[in-house]
Amino acid sequence: MADRFLPRDRFPALVEALRDAGYRCLGPRVREGAIVMEEVERAADLCFGLRDRQAPGSYRLEEGTGRHFAWANGPTALKPLTFVPRETLWRARREGGGLRFEAPEPEVGPLAVIGARACDLAGLALQDRHFLEGEPDPFYKARRERLFLVAVNCTHPADTCFCASTGDGPRAEHSFDLVLSELDEGFLVAAGGPAGADILAALPTEEAGEERNRRADAEIEAAAQAQKRSLPSRNLRDFLFGRQEHPRWEEVAERCLSCGNCTNVCPTCFCHSQETVPDLEGEVSDQVRQWDSCFTSGHSYIHGIVVRATTANRYRQWLTHKLGGWHDQFGRSGCVGCGRCITWCPTGIDLTEEVAALGEEPGGA
Amino acid sequence: MRRGGAWLPREAEVAERVEESPGIVTLRLRLTDPEARRQYGFQPGQFNMLGVFGVGEVAISISSDPGDPERIGHTIRRVGRVTNPLVALDEGDRLGLRGPFGRGWPLDRSEGRDVLVVTGGLGCAPVVSVIEYIMARRSRFGRLTILQGVKHGADLIWRPRYEAWARDPDTEVGLAADVPGENWPGHVGLVTELFDRVRLRPGRTAVMMCGPEPMMRAGARELVARGFPADDLWLSLERNHHCGNGRCGHCQLGPYFVCHDGPVFAYSQVGSLLAIPGL
């Protein structure tokens, strides 16, 4: 379907159409100095005219242009919406000397997300593979199926972005229902499926015209060119697995706090732990899963032994898994180039720099 | 209809509890739902997640004969937060059971070959079901050699079983203890030192190993040096398990999820990974 054009003054119709169709809407809003996805009731709730400045260990918002989406990304991708940070998997009840196990139904209703970026969609597609292939995770599946995704093509990458090198952006190419390209005077809109086409049909759009399409394409291309960081586009599996004993792991461990911020903000990290939470009467007990991180000591704990006892072991696990083991497990790298792990690292560790350093011979120039 | 599969436990009851040694208990479990009991089956080498109400779950390998899936044996050492209350359960007590998980021993591809079992400590438990399996189908396998090592002679459980197996034709049993204690019938030293005392036929033997990783690494290296192909050596690994079905990420070893790519691996798959400390 050819792109349609939604003039800026008619943009509020998008949120209205989604709400009329029964969706709760989430969109970018500013919370504690960062852009996060929160509930919006009208287009005026969306943040506007802001620009993000991201650097290793730093994220700041400042005044930008007169656009809604002239920023790269905030700390949360789509991950918390489908793989929620903490939820009950099952409940055990004592009953007449026995135990009864029951599964709660996830409480879900139609949910539209406005402003998903290409990196977020790539992360979601990878999480889909992890949680849905084989026996699907019922909680993830229920939350995933209710999502309506309004993607936005990126035009203002942050200094920490490198999606062009991983092949995941800045243009959103899959997994969306609608995709927007923002221009000063309004939005190009295209549908990515029947649900999106229904909403698009309800919007007061007009013919986009070739010139607007050309300008939008040029902005996306410029966003790819403007990216300052990159990962090698080749498969790094053998490169990394062949450097398990490189001295760089010890060097990065001197800077790494093993805090797990990188795994929390990563749109693809899936590790989680299970915890048993009994009630005070001892009659009911919940099995709860929550996000875990390979940077914790508990992650590799087994009967009194922590297999990955040092920060160097844990950083190596994270990076070799993310960029190496993922190829074996999922047929591609686990990194989508969003740069969040760089921005939100308290000490500004940059995985692109670590990969480059691992390429240098130990003790060499 | 019952929702859920691998992630939702089924109720089991302790059908039999056997104190094997101080700190080691075998629980034979029976699923309480007749339909679940009929459907349940497992391969030697697989494990279950056993859950104590209000405490938590722990991965325990199945140590019983797969021919009797209605009484699922688990031999458990009392070591931690979950295993303490687990081994304290009495006959008739109820608990949660999820499983079976993982890939077991390569029994099909071992038919017609010799089988060498090398175990250390409680590593004997996941392999006992293999031994029982072979004993029940003796003509399908060649020579069976069972080598079991323990730190202290008193740690050896199932001594009558080893003695019974040793009387079986075409079966050889070797026992080793670092510290022999009283009336120790076997070798004093490492289990790998028994390789010199038994007849080994590299290239015609499937080797199944389970025990502490340093013991398996040493054993595998020694057998490779004696001409055993790395593809013929099978190791059962132990890692942290929360989910059992490849989702939680705790049991990763290099590219593998131990819970569903293993816990039994060929040495050719994991040998180089096991050689790296802290992986």
Side-chain angles (χ1 to χ4, degrees):
Chain A
M1 184 185 291
D3 286 7
R4 301 285 298 171
F5 177 65
L6 184 67
R8 187 164 291 281
D9 60 350
R10 296 183 210 157
F11 181 59
L14 174 62
V15 180
E16 286 162 22
L18 289 166
R19 288 175 59 90
D20 288 349
Y23 293 101
R24 247 180 81 215
C25 292
L26 299 184
R29 304 185 76 165
V30 177
R31 186 71 60 202
E32 294 177 43
I35 294 175
V36 295
M37 290 295 176
E38 291 213 332
E39 184 128 14
V40 291
E41 292 183 1
R42 58 192 73 78
D45 294 338
L46 298 166
C47 64
F48 181 77
L50 290 173
R51 177 83 178 95
D52 52 356
R53 290 285 164 217
Q54 300 193 43
S58 170
Y59 178 100
R60 296 289 183 276
L61 290 177
E62 48 189 57
E63 289 297 310
T65 58
R67 290 192 181 188
H68 274 102
F69 300 102
W71 43 273
N73 57 33
T76 53
L78 300 168
K79 186 166 83 171
L81 304 178
T82 45
F83 168 38
V84 304
R86 186 175 167 90
E87 74 182 323
T88 298
L89 296 179
W90 47 263
R91 173 166 291 179
R93 256 178 226 289
R94 285 191 193 278
E95 225 173 53
L99 297 175
R100 194 155 65 86
F101 298 95
E102 56 197 25
E105 291 279 352
E107 281 175 33
V108 292
L111 182 70
V113 183
I114 301 168
R117 304 312 180 103
C119 55
D120 300 337
L121 297 171
L124 182 68
L126 279 169
Q127 291 245 313
D128 284 352
R129 294 200 52 191
H130 181 66
F131 285 106
L132 298 178
E133 283 183 1
E135 182 191 13
D137 180 273
F139 302 91
Y140 184 95
K141 185 167 184 278
R143 295 180 197 286
R144 177 68 179 91
E145 284 172 352
R146 53 88 176 252
L147 276 190
F148 182 102
L149 296 166
V150 182
V152 177
N153 288 316
C154 265
T155 51
H156 290 69
D159 284 358
T160 44
C161 290
F162 53 98
C163 65
S165 70
T166 65
D168 295 303
R171 183 191 293 277
E173 290 181 352
H174 59 82
S175 308
F176 56 75
D177 296 288
L178 283 178
V179 60
L180 309 179
S181 291
E182 187 173 26
L183 298 167
D184 286 342
E185 70 271 30
F187 297 84
L188 299 183
V189 193
D198 287 348
I199 298 295
L200 180 53
L203 298 178
T205 57
E206 49 195 60
E207 193 92 354
E210 271 186 34
E211 188 274 336
R212 284 203 182 97
N213 272 302
R214 264 200 308 275
R215 258 195 293 140
D217 286 347
E219 286 201 17
I220 298 166
E221 179 53 31
Q225 297 298 329
Q227 293 184 12
K228 295 174 178 163
R229 286 180 160 75
S230 66
L231 274 180
S233 57
R234 67 196 160 88
N235 179 342
L236 293 171
R237 179 201 187 275
D238 293 343
F239 169 84
L240 289 168
F241 282 10
R243 284 165 175 76
Q244 304 268 19
E245 286 165 299
H246 196 286
R248 184 70 182 189
W249 304 116
E250 294 295 341
E251 199 279 335
V252 67
E254 305 248 311
R255 291 172 282 134
C256 174
L257 305 179
S258 206
C259 70
N261 265 20
C262 51
T263 59
N264 277 336
V265 297
C266 177
T268 71
C269 274
F270 53 71
C271 282
H272 56 270
S273 57
Q274 289 194 18
E275 183 188 4
T276 301
V277 185
D279 72 344
L280 283 176
E281 286 78 28
E283 292 302 308
V284 175
S285 178
D286 284 354
Q287 189 77 357
V288 176
R289 82 164 157 210
Q290 56 191 355
W291 288 4
D292 197 0
S293 170
C294 52
F295 285 95
T296 67
S297 59
H299 192 273
S300 64
Y301 174 88
I302 182 160
H303 51 61
I305 303 162
V306 175
V307 176
R308 290 185 284 275
T310 67
T311 300
N313 292 163
R314 295 177 201 163
Y315 190 86
R316 179 179 68 184
Q317 168 63 23
W318 180 70
L319 196 72
T320 54
H321 178 228
K322 183 69 62 190
L323 304 181
W326 275 73
H327 285 278
D328 297 277
Q329 296 168 354
F330 302 99
R332 60 155 290 174
S333 153
C335 177
V336 296
C338 72
R340 288 185 174 93
C341 58
I342 305 172
T343 296
W344 299 95
C345 174
T347 66
I349 295 170
D350 175 350
L351 85 167
T352 65
E353 192 182 312
E354 297 311 313
V355 168
L358 286 161
E360 287 165 21
E361 286 307 311
Chain B
M1 201 184 96
R2 188 177 190 276
R3 292 176 64 248
W7 50 276
L8 186 64
R10 297 170 189 282
E11 186 196 52
E13 71 176 327
V14 179
E16 192 186 352
R17 180 182 187 279
V18 180
E19 194 105 30
E20 306 282 6
S21 80
I24 298 179
V25 168
T26 294
L27 298 179
R28 296 207 174 81
L29 304 179
R30 183 174 162 277
L31 293 169
T32 53
D33 175 41
E35 184 55 31
R37 206 154 60 226
R38 261 194 302 281
Q39 286 174 5
Y40 190 89
F42 70 91
Q43 297 296 316
Q46 289 190 299
F47 67 92
N48 284 317
M49 297 296 297
L50 301 185
V52 181
F53 177 86
V55 178
E57 292 189 318
V58 64
I60 304 286
S61 60
I62 306 171
S63 56
S64 56
D65 184 342
D68 181 13
E70 297 207 354
R71 281 158 62 88
I72 315 160
H74 302 81
T75 300
I76 307 155
R77 183 194 298 278
R78 186 194 349 247
V79 283
R81 193 178 57 84
V82 182
T83 49
N84 267 296
L86 186 58
V87 302
L89 292 177
D90 277 329
E91 288 173 10
D93 283 350
R94 308 296 171 93
L95 69 161
L97 184 152
R98 295 191 292 123
F101 295 113
R103 292 199 323 176
W105 302 101
L107 290 169
D108 287 347
R109 45 190 295 187
S110 303
E111 289 201 4
R113 316 187 80 197
D114 290 356
V115 175
L116 168 63
V117 167
V118 185
T119 56
L122 202 52
C124 56
V127 194
V128 160
S129 56
V130 169
I131 298 171
E132 302 285 8
Y133 180 96
I134 292 172
M135 286 295 180
R137 299 157 185 81
R138 197 63 192 84
S139 61
R140 293 199 220 158
F141 296 87
R143 288 177 58 79
L144 173 61
T145 306
I146 301 165
L147 306 179
Q148 157 74 351
V150 287
K151 268 189 201 149
H152 193 283
D155 297 339
L156 184 75
I157 61 171
W158 300 331
R159 190 157 162 177
R161 286 206 216 185
Y162 287 103
E163 286 164 2
W165 292 328
R167 289 192 292 272
D168 198 86
D170 279 338
T171 303
E172 197 171 0
V173 172
L175 301 173
D178 295 344
V179 183
E182 278 178 46
N183 302 320
W184 178 247
H187 172 69
V188 178
L190 299 172
V191 66
T192 48
E193 290 161 8
L194 295 172
F195 294 160
D196 286 330
R197 303 174 174 223
V198 293
R199 192 151 71 93
L200 300 175
R201 300 201 294 181
R204 302 168 63 172
T205 307
V207 182
M208 304 185 191
M209 309 180 77
C210 187
E213 271 181 33
M215 168 238 136
M216 289 197 286
R217 281 200 305 269
R221 271 200 285 262
E222 178 68 20
L223 291 169
V224 167
R226 288 165 186 252
F228 282 79
D231 285 337
D232 284 352
L233 309 178
W234 299 87
L235 285 63
S236 179
L237 302 185
E238 211 176 359
R239 283 294 182 276
N240 187 350
H241 298 287
H242 286 218
C243 70
N245 56 343
R247 294 270 161 70
C248 80
H250 286 86
C251 68
Q252 290 184 80
L253 174 66
Y256 303 116
F257 293 105
V258 171
C259 69
H260 77 80
D261 298 320
V264 175
F265 290 95
Y267 185 61
S268 54
Q269 290 176 284
V270 296
S272 60
L273 299 170
L274 294 178
I276 302 167
L279 205 62

